Amino acid sequence: AQKITQTQPGMFVQEKEAVTLDCTYDTSDPSYGLFWYKQPSSGEMIFLIYQGSYDQQNATEGRYSLNFQKARKSANLVISASQLGDSAMYFCAMREGQGGGNKLTFGTGTQLKVEL
Amino acid sequence: DTEVTQTPKHLVMGMTNKKSLKCEQHMGHRAMYWYKQKAKKPPELMFVYSYEKLSINESVPSRFSPECPNSSLLNLHLHALQPEDSALYLCACSQRAVGDTGELFFGEGSRLTVL
């Protein structure tokens, strides 16, 4: 079974609009972490935002926010005020267990295109 | 600028060649990773080193041989590769501290083409 599911292979959004990228996950581990990474065409994976399974509040980082619905096992990324530079592939990822040195499993990604 | 440096950025090799990919980090992190990424696909974990010891090997073929000479360096030795091994190889590191989120810091990748 897929541990991380991203159901939107591609998304379009107009500049200055908000966009939501979907991510659902599956784990029986009570301690886990959820990440969103951006990958422009250059290839580098850029960390955007993190949500821990025990965090009470939704994570926010500038224009990025994570809509964490634990009971539904979803961790959607919201990008507000889209910019042309936001055009990239976006990956949702999950770490099971505590801390670093553990496996990070990635979803299949969503290709976002921001249009004028 | 990224604090994880990968060299070379591009590599073309024949199936009988022996080459190495190198990764260096100056973040003081004690976990280092190799991921393989095919075009339009997510990164797939290959190896994890924790405190310079191999802790995870995701059943990678022996033609890929990782090495962690010290806490800052990670190598991936390549020998007798196949054309299907052509991909972007990403190095990453993370802390190994209590309370750490496990966030990975990636390099820009080495794009490998096997002829």
Side-chain angles (χ1 to χ4, degrees), chain A residues 33 35 37 39 41-47 50 89 91 95 98-109 111, chain B residues 2 31 33 35 37 41-43 45 48 55-56 58 88 90 94-96 100-104 106-108 111:
Chain A
F35 302 80
Y37 281 85
Q39 188 176 39
S41 55
S42 59
E44 185 184 359
M45 297 283 283
I46 301 167
F47 167 75
Y50 167 79
M89 182 72 97
F91 290 101
R95 181 213 76 234
Q98 295 273 353
N102 289 305
K103 199 172 159 175
L104 209 66
T105 304
F106 289 84
T108 50
Q111 183 74 48
Chain B
T2 182
Y33 308 73
Y35 278 84
Q37 187 180 24
K41 298 289 186 186
L45 182 66
V48 181
S55 61
I56 297 177
E58 291 287 288
L88 180 68
L90 291 161
S94 69
Q95 294 184 25
R96 284 288 278 140
D100 166 42
T101 65
E103 175 192 342
L104 295 184
F106 284 88
E108 293 183 351
R111 201 166 292 278

Side-chain angles (χ1 to χ4, degrees), chain A residues 1-57:
Chain A
Q2 291 282 352
K3 291 206 169 190
I4 293 280
T5 302
Q6 294 180 254
T7 57
Q8 306 153 314
M11 289 280 285
F12 290 89
V13 65
Q14 288 212 307
E15 196 181 20
K16 299 178 189 172
E17 298 287 311
V19 62
T20 297
L21 306 184
D22 294 341
C23 174
T24 58
Y25 61 93
D26 183 28
T27 181
S28 55
D29 196 323
S31 177
Y32 55 90
L34 297 157
F35 302 80
W36 278 93
Y37 281 85
K38 171 185 176 182
Q39 188 176 39
S41 55
S42 59
E44 185 184 359
M45 297 283 283
I46 301 167
F47 167 75
L48 297 178
I49 197 165
Y50 167 79
Q51 181 84 43
S53 58
Y54 296 118
D55 293 343
Q56 295 294 316
Q57 300 210 328

Side-chain angles (χ1 to χ4, degrees), chain B residues 37-106:
Chain B
Q37 187 180 24
K38 302 283 275 185
K40 308 273 188 213
K41 298 289 186 186
E44 295 177 353
L45 182 66
M46 300 175 74
F47 303 103
V48 181
Y49 274 82
S50 181
Y51 293 97
E52 296 89 73
K53 290 191 178 356
L54 184 65
S55 61
I56 297 177
N57 177 342
E58 291 287 288
S59 302
V60 178
S62 60
R63 58 185 184 269
F64 295 92
S65 174
E67 179 197 18
C68 189
N70 60 53
S71 60
S72 301
L73 293 174
L74 185 66
N75 298 323
L76 187 63
H77 302 299
L78 314 170
H79 174 54
L81 296 193
Q82 304 296 311
E84 59 265 28
D85 297 321
S86 298
L88 180 68
Y89 288 83
L90 291 161
C91 173
C93 63
S94 69
Q95 294 184 25
R96 284 288 278 140
V98 174
D100 166 42
T101 65
E103 175 192 342
L104 295 184
F105 296 82
F106 284 88

